[in-house]
Amino acid sequence: MRLVLLGPPGAGKGTQARMLETQLGAPQVASGDLLRNAVREKSALGIEAKGFMDKGALVPDELVLKLIDARLRERDAQKGFILDGFPRTVSQAETLAKMLDARSEKLDRVIAISVPDEEIIKRISGRRTCRECGAMYHVIYDPPRNLNLCNSCNGELYQRDDDAEDTVRMRLQVYAASTRPLLEHYERLGLLSAVDGIGRTEEVSGRILSALGRGLKAAAAKGTA
Ligand code: AP5
């Protein structure tokens, strides 16, 4: 299964991608995580990307594409993947299509998760992430047993630099201007399914799995799958 999860910052793309990994037998490929790893490693790419990320702006395509291309070539992504945070513009979507075409592959489905802005601000301001294993918590909706430590690996929990309220508002503007047009792009290609992102994480993932089933059936009936 080659899947893209679309949605505004804080919509739950990362949470859902991690939950779906086992059910779909495909790894999460998160552009934000790849970029944050590069920043942590202080690579030349990471140093250049950091300035854009801290402002809530998009990182230039050539940097993001380098990371995505390398990640999609890894062994575990050969039979499928769950893209989270990429593509983010129509131009990135077109490059992805060419990249896959060169490998005689194509996307199976794109799921757009919708969540209203006020809920997004609440979700992002309460998010805590484990430095060691990347597990995600929310101080109210999904609190860890100890506010500073990961339940799974005891790693330190931290708040992302770009989760300050002003930066989140900027990220929402960037989403509206640059990423929302992707919905129409994928709708036109007959690949899009919209899913309501409000509710318990298990409810949202149930909706995604149902939408995937319906979308794949419809594509098979049209002969596009
Ligand atoms: P990225 O890391 O991709 O951030 P984002 O898209 O803004 O999304 P988030 O990771 O903030 O949210 P999410 O939708 O994954 O939600 P989550 O599951 O964490 O990108 C960061 C930056 O990198 C960008 O601003 C840009 O600079 C750069 N970048 C990345 N990709 C790029 C690209 N392709 N091109 C150019 N630049 C790029 O959930 C959020 C919180 O809500 C958590 O606390 C979670 O526990 C909680 N939660 C989740 N689901 C629920 C639920 N159903 N109910 C209640 N709480 C919930």
PDB file of all heavy atoms in Angstrom, residues 112-134:
ATOM      1  N   ALA A 112      -7.129  12.688   3.323  1.00  0.00           N
ATOM      2  CA  ALA A 112      -7.042  14.053   3.870  1.00  0.00           C
ATOM      3  C   ALA A 112      -7.781  14.075   5.203  1.00  0.00           C
ATOM      4  O   ALA A 112      -8.988  13.828   5.260  1.00  0.00           O
ATOM      5  CB  ALA A 112      -7.672  15.036   2.901  1.00  0.00           C
ATOM      6  N   ILE A 113      -7.028  14.365   6.283  1.00  0.00           N
ATOM      7  CA  ILE A 113      -7.627  14.399   7.622  1.00  0.00           C
ATOM      8  C   ILE A 113      -7.989  15.850   7.932  1.00  0.00           C
ATOM      9  O   ILE A 113      -7.125  16.729   7.859  1.00  0.00           O
ATOM     10  CB  ILE A 113      -6.634  13.884   8.689  1.00  0.00           C
ATOM     11  CG1 ILE A 113      -6.086  12.509   8.296  1.00  0.00           C
ATOM     12  CG2 ILE A 113      -7.269  13.850  10.063  1.00  0.00           C
ATOM     13  CD1 ILE A 113      -4.992  11.980   9.231  1.00  0.00           C
ATOM     14  N   SER A 114      -9.262  16.102   8.274  1.00  0.00           N
ATOM     15  CA  SER A 114      -9.629  17.501   8.558  1.00  0.00           C
ATOM     16  C   SER A 114      -9.902  17.697  10.047  1.00  0.00           C
ATOM     17  O   SER A 114     -10.527  16.858  10.702  1.00  0.00           O
ATOM     18  CB  SER A 114     -10.837  17.913   7.731  1.00  0.00           C
ATOM     19  OG  SER A 114     -11.919  17.087   8.058  1.00  0.00           O
ATOM     20  N   VAL A 115      -9.376  18.822  10.551  1.00  0.00           N
ATOM     21  CA  VAL A 115      -9.557  19.209  11.959  1.00  0.00           C
ATOM     22  C   VAL A 115      -9.626  20.743  11.981  1.00  0.00           C
ATOM     23  O   VAL A 115      -8.810  21.401  11.331  1.00  0.00           O
ATOM     24  CB  VAL A 115      -8.345  18.723  12.818  1.00  0.00           C
ATOM     25  CG1 VAL A 115      -8.412  19.254  14.227  1.00  0.00           C
ATOM     26  CG2 VAL A 115      -8.279  17.196  12.844  1.00  0.00           C
ATOM     27  N   PRO A 116     -10.611  21.321  12.697  1.00  0.00           N
ATOM     28  CA  PRO A 116     -10.703  22.787  12.722  1.00  0.00           C
ATOM     29  C   PRO A 116      -9.500  23.446  13.423  1.00  0.00           C
ATOM     30  O   PRO A 116      -8.886  22.843  14.309  1.00  0.00           O
ATOM     31  CB  PRO A 116     -11.981  23.062  13.520  1.00  0.00           C
ATOM     32  CG  PRO A 116     -12.627  21.761  13.759  1.00  0.00           C
ATOM     33  CD  PRO A 116     -11.661  20.663  13.466  1.00  0.00           C
ATOM     34  N   ASP A 117      -9.219  24.712  13.028  1.00  0.00           N
ATOM     35  CA  ASP A 117      -8.033  25.416  13.535  1.00  0.00           C
ATOM     36  C   ASP A 117      -7.962  25.495  15.075  1.00  0.00           C
ATOM     37  O   ASP A 117      -6.897  25.316  15.662  1.00  0.00           O
ATOM     38  CB  ASP A 117      -7.976  26.851  12.968  1.00  0.00           C
ATOM     39  CG  ASP A 117      -7.533  26.853  11.506  1.00  0.00           C
ATOM     40  OD1 ASP A 117      -7.377  25.746  10.928  1.00  0.00           O
ATOM     41  OD2 ASP A 117      -7.349  27.950  10.948  1.00  0.00           O
ATOM     42  N   GLU A 118      -9.116  25.773  15.738  1.00  0.00           N
ATOM     43  CA  GLU A 118      -9.057  25.937  17.210  1.00  0.00           C
ATOM     44  C   GLU A 118      -8.591  24.630  17.863  1.00  0.00           C
ATOM     45  O   GLU A 118      -7.840  24.636  18.839  1.00  0.00           O
ATOM     46  CB  GLU A 118     -10.425  26.290  17.843  1.00  0.00           C
ATOM     47  CG  GLU A 118     -11.311  27.249  17.070  1.00  0.00           C
ATOM     48  CD  GLU A 118     -12.082  26.522  15.975  1.00  0.00           C
ATOM     49  OE1 GLU A 118     -13.013  25.784  16.299  1.00  0.00           O
ATOM     50  OE2 GLU A 118     -11.732  26.681  14.780  1.00  0.00           O
ATOM     51  N   GLU A 119      -9.043  23.499  17.334  1.00  0.00           N
ATOM     52  CA  GLU A 119      -8.659  22.193  17.886  1.00  0.00           C
ATOM     53  C   GLU A 119      -7.167  21.951  17.615  1.00  0.00           C
ATOM     54  O   GLU A 119      -6.458  21.395  18.462  1.00  0.00           O
ATOM     55  CB  GLU A 119      -9.528  21.100  17.251  1.00  0.00           C
ATOM     56  CG  GLU A 119      -9.139  19.671  17.609  1.00  0.00           C
ATOM     57  CD  GLU A 119      -9.346  19.287  19.067  1.00  0.00           C
ATOM     58  OE1 GLU A 119     -10.015  20.042  19.800  1.00  0.00           O
ATOM     59  OE2 GLU A 119      -8.810  18.232  19.484  1.00  0.00           O
ATOM     60  N   ILE A 120      -6.697  22.420  16.454  1.00  0.00           N
ATOM     61  CA  ILE A 120      -5.291  22.229  16.101  1.00  0.00           C
ATOM     62  C   ILE A 120      -4.385  22.940  17.104  1.00  0.00           C
ATOM     63  O   ILE A 120      -3.393  22.385  17.574  1.00  0.00           O
ATOM     64  CB  ILE A 120      -5.041  22.770  14.676  1.00  0.00           C
ATOM     65  CG1 ILE A 120      -5.562  21.733  13.683  1.00  0.00           C
ATOM     66  CG2 ILE A 120      -3.574  23.094  14.431  1.00  0.00           C
ATOM     67  CD1 ILE A 120      -5.529  22.178  12.267  1.00  0.00           C
ATOM     68  N   ILE A 121      -4.760  24.174  17.458  1.00  0.00           N
ATOM     69  CA  ILE A 121      -3.939  24.935  18.411  1.00  0.00           C
ATOM     70  C   ILE A 121      -3.885  24.170  19.739  1.00  0.00           C
ATOM     71  O   ILE A 121      -2.825  24.022  20.350  1.00  0.00           O
ATOM     72  CB  ILE A 121      -4.499  26.374  18.623  1.00  0.00           C
ATOM     73  CG1 ILE A 121      -4.623  27.111  17.286  1.00  0.00           C
ATOM     74  CG2 ILE A 121      -3.688  27.148  19.651  1.00  0.00           C
ATOM     75  CD1 ILE A 121      -3.381  27.708  16.712  1.00  0.00           C
ATOM     76  N   LYS A 122      -5.054  23.627  20.183  1.00  0.00           N
ATOM     77  CA  LYS A 122      -5.085  22.865  21.452  1.00  0.00           C
ATOM     78  C   LYS A 122      -4.199  21.632  21.358  1.00  0.00           C
ATOM     79  O   LYS A 122      -3.440  21.320  22.274  1.00  0.00           O
ATOM     80  CB  LYS A 122      -6.520  22.395  21.744  1.00  0.00           C
ATOM     81  CG  LYS A 122      -7.397  23.430  22.384  1.00  0.00           C
ATOM     82  CD  LYS A 122      -8.662  22.728  22.899  1.00  0.00           C
ATOM     83  CE  LYS A 122      -9.871  23.627  22.659  1.00  0.00           C
ATOM     84  NZ  LYS A 122     -11.120  22.919  22.541  1.00  0.00           N
ATOM     85  N   ARG A 123      -4.301  20.936  20.232  1.00  0.00           N
ATOM     86  CA  ARG A 123      -3.532  19.683  20.087  1.00  0.00           C
ATOM     87  C   ARG A 123      -2.038  19.969  20.087  1.00  0.00           C
ATOM     88  O   ARG A 123      -1.261  19.283  20.747  1.00  0.00           O
ATOM     89  CB  ARG A 123      -3.900  18.975  18.781  1.00  0.00           C
ATOM     90  CG  ARG A 123      -5.240  18.297  18.858  1.00  0.00           C
ATOM     91  CD  ARG A 123      -5.426  17.427  17.631  1.00  0.00           C
ATOM     92  NE  ARG A 123      -6.756  16.843  17.622  1.00  0.00           N
ATOM     93  CZ  ARG A 123      -7.183  16.013  16.694  1.00  0.00           C
ATOM     94  NH1 ARG A 123      -6.404  15.689  15.690  1.00  0.00           N
ATOM     95  NH2 ARG A 123      -8.404  15.512  16.759  1.00  0.00           N
ATOM     96  N   ILE A 124      -1.640  20.994  19.323  1.00  0.00           N
ATOM     97  CA  ILE A 124      -0.196  21.220  19.179  1.00  0.00           C
ATOM     98  C   ILE A 124       0.402  21.783  20.466  1.00  0.00           C
ATOM     99  O   ILE A 124       1.510  21.420  20.850  1.00  0.00           O
ATOM    100  CB  ILE A 124       0.080  22.140  17.973  1.00  0.00           C
ATOM    101  CG1 ILE A 124      -0.249  21.379  16.691  1.00  0.00           C
ATOM    102  CG2 ILE A 124       1.519  22.611  17.955  1.00  0.00           C
ATOM    103  CD1 ILE A 124       0.190  22.031  15.424  1.00  0.00           C
ATOM    104  N   SER A 125      -0.352  22.648  21.156  1.00  0.00           N
ATOM    105  CA  SER A 125       0.235  23.237  22.366  1.00  0.00           C
ATOM    106  C   SER A 125       0.421  22.173  23.447  1.00  0.00           C
ATOM    107  O   SER A 125       1.276  22.327  24.325  1.00  0.00           O
ATOM    108  CB  SER A 125      -0.588  24.424  22.863  1.00  0.00           C
ATOM    109  OG  SER A 125      -1.895  23.971  23.086  1.00  0.00           O
ATOM    110  N   GLY A 126      -0.359  21.056  23.385  1.00  0.00           N
ATOM    111  CA  GLY A 126      -0.219  20.020  24.410  1.00  0.00           C
ATOM    112  C   GLY A 126       0.635  18.839  23.969  1.00  0.00           C
ATOM    113  O   GLY A 126       0.784  17.867  24.699  1.00  0.00           O
ATOM    114  N   ARG A 127       1.190  18.917  22.756  1.00  0.00           N
ATOM    115  CA  ARG A 127       1.947  17.750  22.249  1.00  0.00           C
ATOM    116  C   ARG A 127       3.299  17.615  22.959  1.00  0.00           C
ATOM    117  O   ARG A 127       4.012  18.577  23.170  1.00  0.00           O
ATOM    118  CB  ARG A 127       2.185  17.903  20.754  1.00  0.00           C
ATOM    119  CG  ARG A 127       3.165  16.847  20.235  1.00  0.00           C
ATOM    120  CD  ARG A 127       3.266  16.784  18.749  1.00  0.00           C
ATOM    121  NE  ARG A 127       3.449  18.047  18.097  1.00  0.00           N
ATOM    122  CZ  ARG A 127       3.243  18.237  16.795  1.00  0.00           C
ATOM    123  NH1 ARG A 127       2.830  17.246  16.051  1.00  0.00           N
ATOM    124  NH2 ARG A 127       3.440  19.423  16.264  1.00  0.00           N
ATOM    125  N   ARG A 128       3.641  16.385  23.290  1.00  0.00           N
ATOM    126  CA  ARG A 128       4.988  16.071  23.810  1.00  0.00           C
ATOM    127  C   ARG A 128       5.493  14.864  23.032  1.00  0.00           C
ATOM    128  O   ARG A 128       4.734  13.931  22.768  1.00  0.00           O
ATOM    129  CB  ARG A 128       4.954  15.724  25.309  1.00  0.00           C
ATOM    130  CG  ARG A 128       4.476  16.847  26.217  1.00  0.00           C
ATOM    131  CD  ARG A 128       5.435  18.044  26.261  1.00  0.00           C
ATOM    132  NE  ARG A 128       4.965  19.079  27.172  1.00  0.00           N
ATOM    133  CZ  ARG A 128       4.107  20.053  26.842  1.00  0.00           C
ATOM    134  NH1 ARG A 128       3.638  20.122  25.614  1.00  0.00           N
ATOM    135  NH2 ARG A 128       3.736  20.948  27.735  1.00  0.00           N
ATOM    136  N   THR A 129       6.786  14.896  22.663  1.00  0.00           N
ATOM    137  CA  THR A 129       7.361  13.828  21.832  1.00  0.00           C
ATOM    138  C   THR A 129       8.578  13.239  22.540  1.00  0.00           C
ATOM    139  O   THR A 129       9.342  13.984  23.186  1.00  0.00           O
ATOM    140  CB  THR A 129       7.798  14.422  20.464  1.00  0.00           C
ATOM    141  OG1 THR A 129       6.700  15.149  19.922  1.00  0.00           O
ATOM    142  CG2 THR A 129       8.191  13.340  19.475  1.00  0.00           C
ATOM    143  N   CYS A 130       8.775  11.922  22.388  1.00  0.00           N
ATOM    144  CA  CYS A 130       9.933  11.288  23.034  1.00  0.00           C
ATOM    145  C   CYS A 130      11.177  11.479  22.165  1.00  0.00           C
ATOM    146  O   CYS A 130      11.151  11.205  20.963  1.00  0.00           O
ATOM    147  CB  CYS A 130       9.665   9.791  23.220  1.00  0.00           C
ATOM    148  SG  CYS A 130      11.115   8.934  23.854  1.00  0.00           S
ATOM    149  N   ARG A 131      12.249  11.966  22.798  1.00  0.00           N
ATOM    150  CA  ARG A 131      13.510  12.182  22.067  1.00  0.00           C
ATOM    151  C   ARG A 131      14.123  10.875  21.585  1.00  0.00           C
ATOM    152  O   ARG A 131      14.832  10.844  20.591  1.00  0.00           O
ATOM    153  CB  ARG A 131      14.545  12.837  23.003  1.00  0.00           C
ATOM    154  CG  ARG A 131      14.522  14.322  22.958  1.00  0.00           C
ATOM    155  CD  ARG A 131      15.754  14.931  23.605  1.00  0.00           C
ATOM    156  NE  ARG A 131      15.395  16.224  24.158  1.00  0.00           N
ATOM    157  CZ  ARG A 131      15.171  17.312  23.434  1.00  0.00           C
ATOM    158  NH1 ARG A 131      15.296  17.275  22.134  1.00  0.00           N
ATOM    159  NH2 ARG A 131      14.815  18.442  24.009  1.00  0.00           N
ATOM    160  N   GLU A 132      13.851   9.780  22.312  1.00  0.00           N
ATOM    161  CA  GLU A 132      14.498   8.507  21.970  1.00  0.00           C
ATOM    162  C   GLU A 132      13.729   7.745  20.892  1.00  0.00           C
ATOM    163  O   GLU A 132      14.291   7.405  19.864  1.00  0.00           O
ATOM    164  CB  GLU A 132      14.606   7.601  23.212  1.00  0.00           C
ATOM    165  CG  GLU A 132      15.353   8.211  24.390  1.00  0.00           C
ATOM    166  CD  GLU A 132      16.775   8.621  24.031  1.00  0.00           C
ATOM    167  OE1 GLU A 132      17.414   7.888  23.262  1.00  0.00           O
ATOM    168  OE2 GLU A 132      17.236   9.683  24.508  1.00  0.00           O
ATOM    169  N   CYS A 133      12.408   7.483  21.131  1.00  0.00           N
ATOM    170  CA  CYS A 133      11.695   6.589  20.197  1.00  0.00           C
ATOM    171  C   CYS A 133      10.654   7.322  19.358  1.00  0.00           C
ATOM    172  O   CYS A 133      10.023   6.705  18.497  1.00  0.00           O
ATOM    173  CB  CYS A 133      11.025   5.441  20.963  1.00  0.00           C
ATOM    174  SG  CYS A 133       9.632   5.955  21.972  1.00  0.00           S
ATOM    175  N   GLY A 134      10.466   8.628  19.590  1.00  0.00           N
ATOM    176  CA  GLY A 134       9.532   9.390  18.757  1.00  0.00           C
ATOM    177  C   GLY A 134       8.070   9.211  19.155  1.00  0.00           C
ATOM    178  O   GLY A 134       7.183   9.775  18.503  1.00  0.00           O
TER     179      GLY A 134
END
